[in-house]
Structure formats: C-alpha cells, structure tokens
Amino acid sequence: MADKPYYPLPPIGSVSVLAAMLKINEKQLIHIANNASNSYTSFEITPEGKKPRDVVEPKEQLKYVQKKINAMIFSEVKYPIYLMGGISDKVQSRDYINNGKLHLNKNTLINLDIENFFPNIKHVYVKKIFTHLFKFPESVSEILTKLTTLNGRLPQGGCSSTYIANLLFFNYEYHIVSQLRNKGITYSRLLDDITLSSNKKLNKEDKTHAISAVDGLIKRFELSINTSKTRIEHKDDLSAQYEVTGSWVRFGELKFPGKARKKIRSAVKKCELMYQENCYSAEYHSQWNRTSGRVAQLKRFGHHKQEREFRTRLGKILPLYDEQQAITLRTKVYQLVKKRKLNKLRLDNPGLRKQILTLYHQLGILARNNTSSKILKNELRENFSFLINNPYY
C-alpha cells in the first residue's frame, strides 16, 4: 500500500506548550488567533496567461507565527513522494520539475485540476488535520486552525496554506494512489494539479475508472474537478500537448516547451529595451527579477547554452539605484541605527527583521554603482547581526 503522510513527533499537549514551542507569549498567541481575520492584506494578481485572482498576505505578526508553525510542525511531517509543491524536502525537491519526471515517456497522460482549490477548503477539514493526523487535543487544534485559516477558509497566500493543502486528503488519498498503482497508473498531485499516467494505452473503461476514483476523493471534501481543464492524451497523438505542470514529458527526458522558451527570450529582450529607458525604475527592477527567475528554469531543464546566453545578456543590464534612491537608503539605515542606540526599537517585532533584510538586499544592489554601500552594510551588521543571522529571533 502507498505511504501516507505521518507526523513522527509526540503531540503538542496544550496551548501553553504550543506557545513555548513557537516562542511567543501564550496570551499574545491567543490574541493573534482570535484576531486573525483582521491580519491580512488582500490584493489581486494576474499570472501570465491566466485570469486575475484575489490573494491575501498575512501581516507581519501573523506571518511570523505561521512561518514558525511551518518550521516547527509542518516541516516535521514525512510526505509521500506522490505529493509535490510547497514541501520542504532536503533529499528531493518537491517542485513542478520533479513532478513532471514521475510521468516521463508514458503512453497515457491524464491531467486534472481541482476547481478553486484553496478558497474552497473549509476550516472543518483543516481542523481534522490537526486533530487526526497530528493528534493534537481540541484546544491546540482549534487555535492552530484559527491561525491558519481566514473567515473559515484556507487563504490563498497564507504562509501555511500549501502545507495544509498537501495534507488535506491525508487519510484517504493513499488508498486511491495504491488502487491506481495496482492498475499500473502513476498518481501525483502538485497542490490542485493532479496527474495520472500509465505505460500502457488505457482503454476508455480504465480512464473513466481512474478519473472517477479521483473525483470521489475530492468530493469527500466538498471540492470538484474543473472539467474545462481536464486533458486525456496518448503518446501516439503527435498533436497532444503532453505536458505536466509546465514540463514536456513525451519522451525519456524532461524538456521545457518551445513556446515557454520563446517567452523567456522575449522577456530578456524587453529587459534590454527597458534598461535603455530607465534602469533605476521599480518597474524595471521587478521585470529583471522575474526574467532572471525564468532564465534559471532553463538550466534545470538542461538548456544550458540558452541559459548562459540569457544570463550573460542580463548581467550587462543589472538594475541600479540612482543618487536619490541612495540617499533614501542611507537615511533609512541611519534612522534605524539611531533608534537602536536610543533603545527606541521593539527588537521582538517580527517586521523588524524583514525590514533589515530588505535593506541589506537593497544595499547589495546599490553596491553595483555606489561605494557607500559597503559602509552602510557594515552599520547594519554591527547593530543588527542578531536579526540578520537568526531567522527566528
């Protein structure tokens, strides 16, 4: 039988123990949990080639707590290999690339999508993860549920949301995986993307049975398959996309689709044009960072020559800060240093570390064309090394 997620540590027995583990005052933890609905900022994003969607970001205090929950609880879970995405795994990264590798060179490929996944995960199912998988008592499970949900749902953008999404089906999914495996079908799930594949060309009955099994699983949790995104393909159909979470899997080696590589080339060209117009603008910094991340994908897919070409081109047009931006950074650094020396900073404020690290990163950019960066970085290190070096201060 396929493995299922399990938590190897003893249960957290009380809210006071939970607070001590998270290194936060118990009353403060309860207050944060009871006011979590007011601790998010909402905004709209438009992923490339997709419809706009609403996401939220937890404010600093709640974000700090959620990241501690991830590090102290969710990261300790042992996750089966069929779960991909949003999981910390030192042995094998659980990303879209390794997800694609599970389905290389298969004769049948089925792609399924869970419709509106995160916002449709209700708090009652989140709480069951804490009570049944982790075996935490009611009081601990209740406060953890409050800390990781928003208005009774799983927030898209919450720091713990991907972990919870991976664990949602913990007591049922492995049955489906085992059932399909016995029929020669490989199953994987990258959050809301489910992929089934087989070395043989499945007949209509086998495909219907496999999809029905998955559909039955997610319906247990009041979710549904987005039928408009369902793709059933066979290797001998040369017109088929044959992609798994953005990777081309038709043969024995993973490839980045040609259309995606063309988009990266266009993005590099756009950076070159924007650099000529204004290499100091926030818009250019954002465009360059996005493009750099996309170029890094080429290396992972073995497109080394193209990756080196684009990396060289991007290296000649690095984003810079102008003199006014340099003055702003200097002002911010010296204001923080002054407050530190006058004991006017709350050093236990989770947002302070983010502020320091952001400044430190920005000073690295400033160093490209301004020698004062070195002095400013030294000031930060001398006064805030405890924040720079300790992620959970």
Side-chain angles (χ1 to χ4, degrees):
M1 181 166 287
D3 292 333
K4 65 177 181 177
Y6 75 95
Y7 180 63
L9 302 181
I12 299 170
S14 66
V15 175
S16 61
V17 172
L18 173 65
M21 175 185 286
L22 300 178
K23 296 183 179 179
I24 189 168
N25 178 276
E26 182 178 354
K27 288 185 178 179
Q28 185 182 12
L29 183 65
I30 294 171
H31 176 77
I32 294 170
N34 289 336
N35 291 276
S37 61
N38 300 317
S39 298
Y40 289 89
T41 302
S42 61
F43 53 96
E44 185 181 84
I45 64 170
T46 307
E48 187 175 0
K50 296 182 180 180
K51 294 179 180 178
R53 69 167 181 258
D54 293 324
V55 298
V56 297
E57 182 180 14
K59 296 178 182 178
E60 289 303 325
Q61 198 170 46
L62 180 59
K63 181 184 289 187
Y64 170 82
V65 173
Q66 289 182 352
K67 286 186 174 181
K68 290 286 286 186
I69 290 170
N70 292 351
M72 306 302 294
I73 298 176
F74 289 129
S75 292
E76 296 294 338
V77 174
K78 305 302 179 184
Y79 295 88
I81 196 61
Y82 57 79
L83 290 178
M84 293 283 176
I87 295 172
S88 176
D89 189 334
K90 295 178 182 178
V91 178
Q92 177 179 321
S93 60
R94 305 296 186 92
D95 60 7
Y96 70 101
I97 292 178
N98 281 322
N99 184 49
K101 288 180 179 178
L102 294 175
H103 304 282
L104 283 172
N105 205 25
K106 299 296 182 74
N107 278 299
T108 301
L109 187 65
I110 301 174
N111 290 287
L112 306 171
D113 177 84
I114 304 175
E115 188 165 19
N116 206 21
F117 187 37
F118 284 78
N120 280 331
I121 297 175
K122 296 182 179 179
H123 74 284
V124 62
Y125 300 116
V126 175
K127 187 174 180 180
K128 285 182 179 180
I129 295 171
F130 293 118
T131 56
H132 296 161
L133 172 61
F134 292 98
K135 304 196 183 304
F136 295 161
E138 172 72 19
S139 58
V140 175
S141 299
E142 179 67 24
I143 198 166
L144 284 169
T145 301
K146 288 181 178 180
L147 288 166
T148 56
T149 58
L150 172 61
N151 299 326
R153 304 279 175 157
L154 189 65
Q156 180 110 35
C159 300
S160 302
S161 293
T162 55
Y163 279 105
I164 292 170
N166 273 304
L167 295 173
L168 181 63
F169 309 131
F170 76 93
N171 212 24
Y172 299 94
E173 193 166 26
Y174 76 108
H175 289 296
I176 303 300
V177 176
S178 180
Q179 176 186 331
L180 294 173
R181 182 178 295 170
N182 290 337
K183 293 182 175 293
I185 299 173
T186 299
Y187 172 105
S188 73
R189 177 167 65 87
L190 196 152
L191 301 174
D192 57 350
D193 288 311
I194 296 173
T195 305
L196 312 177
S197 64
S198 176
N199 287 323
K200 63 181 181 180
K201 188 172 183 178
L202 299 177
N203 59 36
K204 184 177 180 180
E205 182 181 352
D206 289 335
K207 289 181 287 191
T208 300
H209 177 270
I211 294 172
S212 295
V214 174
D215 187 49
L217 166 68
I218 66 174
K219 279 182 176 176
R220 281 179 173 268
F221 297 82
E222 302 177 71
L223 300 167
S224 60
I225 292 175
N226 184 348
T227 54
S228 67
K229 292 186 177 182
T230 297
R231 288 204 322 269
I232 303 173
E233 300 174 326
H234 297 287
K235 188 180 178 183
D236 57 9
D237 178 4
L238 299 181
S239 65
Q241 293 184 43
Y242 238 69
E243 294 178 14
V244 174
T245 52
S247 304
W248 197 44
V249 298
R250 186 181 292 276
F251 301 110
E253 185 179 1
L254 210 63
K255 290 294 181 183
F256 208 24
K259 60 184 179 182
R261 281 180 279 151
K262 287 181 180 178
K263 287 183 179 179
I264 294 176
R265 181 178 292 279
S266 297
V268 172
K269 183 62 177 177
K270 182 177 180 180
C271 281
E272 290 171 332
L273 294 173
M274 291 179 70
Y275 180 83
Q276 298 299 324
E277 294 177 4
N278 186 352
C279 63
Y280 306 114
S281 70
E283 183 183 5
Y284 178 65
H285 280 244
S286 179
Q287 175 67 27
W288 190 96
N289 289 334
R290 284 197 306 271
T291 303
S292 179
R294 294 171 68 186
V295 168
Q297 293 177 308
L298 294 170
K299 189 174 183 179
R300 299 239 8 228
F301 282 96
H303 301 292
H304 299 292
K305 183 178 179 181
Q306 203 168 30
E307 187 269 340
R308 286 194 297 269
E309 176 201 339
F310 293 155
R311 187 62 61 197
T312 299
R313 289 167 63 180
L314 288 176
K316 295 177 180 178
I317 53 170
L318 294 172
L320 302 174
Y321 287 140
D322 61 20
E323 185 54 35
Q324 184 56 51
Q325 290 164 321
I327 291 171
T328 300
L329 289 177
R330 279 197 292 271
T331 302
K332 287 181 178 179
V333 169
Y334 286 123
Q335 283 179 343
L336 283 169
V337 169
K338 183 178 180 180
K339 288 181 180 179
R340 168 86 168 110
K341 291 178 178 178
L342 295 174
N343 294 318
K344 291 186 176 181
L345 283 177
R346 280 192 56 196
L347 300 181
D348 62 343
N349 181 358
L352 180 59
R353 181 173 186 268
K354 180 182 178 181
Q355 188 178 2
I356 297 298
L357 292 182
T358 298
L359 267 175
Y360 205 73
H361 171 73
Q362 290 173 330
L363 291 173
I365 296 174
L366 183 64
R368 294 168 183 167
N369 64 333
N370 193 309
T371 56
S372 68
S373 172
K374 186 176 181 179
I375 298 171
L376 296 172
K377 289 181 81 171
N378 285 338
E379 287 283 352
L380 285 183
R381 279 195 295 265
E382 288 174 9
N383 290 277
F384 299 100
S385 61
F386 58 97
L387 290 176
I388 293 170
N389 299 324
N390 185 355
Y392 298 116
Y393 181 82

